[in-house]
Amino acid sequence: MEENIPSTEPIPESPAVKLTEQEEEVFQHINNPVLGLKPIVKKYLGTPKSVEQKENKFFFSDGEATVEVTVVTDEIIKVRMAPHGVFLEEFSYAVPKLNTKVSVFHLHDNADEYRISTNTVNCHINKADFFISFSDSQNHVTSADAVQMHWEENVKFGGYYVFGTKVCHSKEAFFGLGDKPTDLNLRGKRFVNWNTDAYSFAWNQDPIYRSIPFYISLNEGISHGIFFDNTFKAHFDFGAEDRSKTSFWADGGELQYYYIHGPNMMDVVKRYHLLTGTHPMPPLWALGYHQCRWSYYPESKVMKVAKGFRENQIPCDGIYLDIDYMDGYRCFTWNRKYFPDPKKMIKELAADGFKTVVIIDPGIRVDDNYSVFKEGKAKRYFCRRSDDYFMEGHVWPGRCQFPDFTNPEVREWWGTLFDELVQIGVAGVWNDMNEPAVFGAGTFPDDVRHQYDGYRGSHRKAHNIYGMQMVRATYEGMRKLMKNKRPFTITRAGYSGVQRFTSVWTGDNVASWEHLRLGNVQCQRLSMSGIPFCGTDIGGFSGEPDGELFTRWIQMGTFSPFMRAHSAGDTKEREPWSFGEPFTAINRKFIELRYKLIPYLYSTFWEHHRYGFPILRPVVMQEQEEINNQARQDEFTYGDKILVCPVMEPGQKSRLVYLPKGNWYYYWDNEMVEGGREVEVATPLETIPLFVKAGSVIPEYPVMQYVGEKEIEEVQLNVYYSDLPANSFFFEDYGETFAYEQDIYSEKKFVVSGKGTSMTILQSMEGLYTPRYDNYAFSVAGLPFKPVKIIADGKEVTEFTYTEQKVLEFKFTKTFKHIEVM
Ligand code: MIG
């Protein structure tokens, strides 16, 4: 009975988050025979009465509830709350290992507050009301509770809804949350995280495939992040219900979040990666162009498409087999009628430079003659309902059971199932339907049990991480089987940290101009939410693009970290040459540009992997102090050097593009343009607005039909003059092994600086890898003087040309240290 006695605590006025009316009804004691019971109310922390310290953790109690504050690093503070003082064992799929790296921190205790301070951040616990806030070393408050952390009985669940509510400032903007199909700034909106198969999703539809409970706040030029690491169905409200409050809450689990200090958005993203990890270096070929379709079959069709690329001289590295390659959609089998000898086919494809990627879904057909099912059944690897029967649902193979990927033993087993695929030469695996998607019901029932790496959970808790654990099992298994080679994986569903195992695509989009625009925002958002290797289905999955839309999409896709065209089965052919001229030629030109820029993209990937930088960067990340940038979502930079503005309207002849401050060069003619303003740029079908930042060194490879087609004989370095010194990086390695983990790579840093009548290029090197080519071919644009002399490492370079377009061209050894152009 204890539990049913309503609280006598005063109810604070205007609780921050109200449930919708329909939800509220459900929480009345409808069946309770005791008359006069009050409805269930939210409970709020009282006042902190005590503090206890254990190493870097502080525990504050109001007599009943406990708040734990952990100093993770100088800039990251973790907060947890236990309504009755009992915390769950610490375990997180997102943060596999909490690396606490903090040197000094202190607890201050005065009449008004407890304050925990590191060198950069203060966490204040207010004694009067238990409000928690954060400030920087100049005492500027960056984040503050608007009400106490609170909770409410979840009667269906027998646990609690948990809530955190922060002050939302009038000009505060919000970014992040993964793949939400809406404007970049999330201000004024409300979201749910619950992985959902969202075929042909629409602008503002929510939720869709992924759950990334991480947002970035930007208020008056100062940024911080909140990572609400809770895998239950979670909700975010960015000043939607009450303009002065930002709330996040979940249907169960713990109120547990990380405050991530800025002040730069870039710092917040990097620190989020410190918690959740970065993407491993992808195999170099995966940065090429990929061609997909539901489905290319039989074998002759696959070979014809592959040949089409080589005949049309359009580069391509990856070709995909969607579900029809399987025997009755049974994972790890082949339809022998369509694919009589997959090993031979994959070998032939490989000989022509194509990597084969196959789809693998989670649903395993219930069929006692099917080895995967038999083994999974015998070992009890499939998910069970709480009444102990195996959970069944219908997906493509018919009646299916589903491996419990939250069980490490199941993941291990799943990983071994790729043995044959790896042996016959499959280079990548595509995990689809892993929200998990089930026909009819949408997903698993809530009562399905999961092993959850020994920490147990129902589907309520495991739903949002199911897909991530599937692709993790796939990635780890492939990695073992491929020995030291990098596997390529791609997933539809995911949770924070999924980037440690895989790339993603944005799911079943539509062949429309609106979706092109949406894809642009989604990729930028995924990038700033910790998922760097992302792309859209180029052309749109469902529906029919015309040549113009397809070409505009190829142009945008050239600057998506992941570049793949894909289409549903009931659509017309969708290869880059399917629309005839002039489209084919333009598509070829852009895919070639993709390949030329591979060393630049790869270097950007390294900056991501090693330092936690995103690959795509919205302009607001470059100039967060510029308030108008909060609303800019068309233009972005690819790495930090190339500004891209896709064309997202039919028939568009020109458009305005905002260039952040500094000097830029128009990519197509090297004309210098001053930034810090909007410029009008012509947008004929042949081009999109592309600008390179002054001072950049952009490495280019020669165009190849696939990565590794030819030995690279020299690397072109496109240098763009700047008055101010600017750094660039150039990363290279073998491109297919994990040797970079043992320092077998080459990281080069260039510094370009000009003085009006001369310019220097410096190079420094790190790492143990030596590329086989000898020379760089320099191509220097934007010199404000006519070059007459080049001194490289003390020697004069006498052979050079200065073209009519005012580009200086010369060659010099790749090991140079100092070049001066006068
Ligand atoms: O129920 O495998 O998003 O890319 O082609 C549809 C068939 C299942 C959904 C994926 C899509 C894929 C399709 N899949």
Side-chain angles (χ1 to χ4, degrees), residues 407-422:
N407 181 339
E409 199 183 318
V410 176
R411 287 199 298 270
E412 186 75 33
W413 166 70
W414 182 259
T416 65
L417 298 175
F418 293 90
D419 189 27
E420 206 183 298
L421 290 173
V422 169

Side-chain angles (χ1 to χ4, degrees), residues 393-694:
H394 285 252
V395 248
W396 291 106
R399 189 155 68 92
C400 285
Q401 293 187 9
F402 301 83
D404 182 9
F405 296 108
T406 71
N407 181 339
E409 199 183 318
V410 176
R411 287 199 298 270
E412 186 75 33
W413 166 70
W414 182 259
T416 65
L417 298 175
F418 293 90
D419 189 27
E420 206 183 298
L421 290 173
V422 169
Q423 294 225 10
I424 65 173
V426 165
V429 176
W430 170 21
N431 282 164
D432 185 23
M433 304 290 277
N434 53 353
E435 289 71 30
V438 178
F439 294 160
T443 191
F444 295 0
D446 278 350
D447 80 333
V448 165
R449 286 182 288 161
H450 294 272
Q451 201 260 6
Y452 215 94
D453 277 67
Y455 294 86
R456 302 162 306 280
S458 70
H459 196 62
R460 282 186 182 84
K461 175 166 146 188
H463 175 83
N464 283 338
I465 50 85
Y466 185 84
M468 171 182 176
Q469 296 313 302
M470 177 187 185
V471 71
R472 171 185 177 184
T474 301
Y475 178 80
E476 288 174 345
M478 293 282 288
R479 186 172 166 164
K480 265 185 216 151
L481 293 165
M482 291 169 79
K483 307 288 179 328
N484 194 32
K485 271 202 171 176
R486 301 173 201 170
F488 170 74
T489 41
I490 176 164
T491 182
R492 201 168 67 177
Y495 182 76
S496 290
V498 72
Q499 72 273 7
R500 299 195 301 273
F501 315 109
T502 185
S503 66
V504 307
W505 89 106
T506 57
D508 295 340
N509 60 358
V510 180
S512 70
W513 291 92
E514 184 185 54
H515 264 268
L516 178 60
R517 187 174 283 279
L518 202 45
N520 183 16
V521 183
Q522 284 183 295
C523 289
Q524 292 181 59
R525 194 196 316 291
L526 283 163
S527 294
M528 61 203 302
S529 307
I531 302 189
F533 203 12
C534 56
T536 59
D537 281 354
I538 292 174
F541 179 70
S542 60
E544 300 288 355
D546 60 11
E548 184 189 6
L549 176 58
F550 185 78
T551 288
R552 290 307 197 186
W553 216 313
I554 284 276
Q555 292 173 334
M556 181 175 90
T558 299
F559 300 97
S560 292
F562 174 65
M563 186 183 191
R564 182 185 78 165
H566 182 39
S567 49
D570 55 355
T571 58
K572 290 189 213 138
E573 311 237 293
R574 197 80 76 74
E575 288 81 44
W577 58 87
S578 303
F579 300 89
E581 295 299 349
F583 307 108
T584 305
I586 303 171
N587 297 341
R588 179 187 301 113
K589 178 174 108 177
F590 272 82
I591 297 174
E592 285 179 353
L593 177 58
R594 169 85 180 186
Y595 277 73
K596 284 196 220 168
L597 291 175
I598 277 183
Y600 171 73
L601 175 57
Y602 196 52
S603 303
T604 303
F605 231 113
W606 176 249
E607 285 181 59
H608 165 76
H609 170 71
R610 184 163 180 190
Y611 306 105
F613 288 100
I615 291 179
L616 302 186
R617 308 171 189 193
V619 288
V620 68
M621 280 189 94
Q622 330 246 344
E623 273 183 352
Q624 65 185 48
E625 64 287 352
E626 176 58 55
I627 187 106
N628 290 330
N629 285 345
Q630 294 186 357
R632 293 204 162 97
Q633 55 187 22
D634 290 356
E635 50 279 85
F636 58 87
T637 65
Y638 182 63
D640 68 338
K641 309 280 181 223
I642 303 182
L643 185 128
V644 183
C645 187
V647 176
M648 297 171 291
E649 273 174 35
Q652 194 165 40
K653 298 275 183 309
S654 73
R655 64 155 298 159
L656 285 175
V657 177
Y658 176 75
L659 299 175
K661 287 180 205 78
N663 289 337
W664 297 84
Y665 291 87
Y666 188 52
Y667 180 81
W668 307 106
D669 66 4
N670 294 328
E671 194 201 325
M672 211 253 282
V673 190
E674 210 180 300
R677 63 191 177 115
E678 286 182 344
V679 294
E680 175 97 20
V681 185
T683 54
L685 191 61
E686 295 73 31
T687 66
I688 56 169
L690 269 190
F691 293 86
V692 184
K693 211 186 221 162

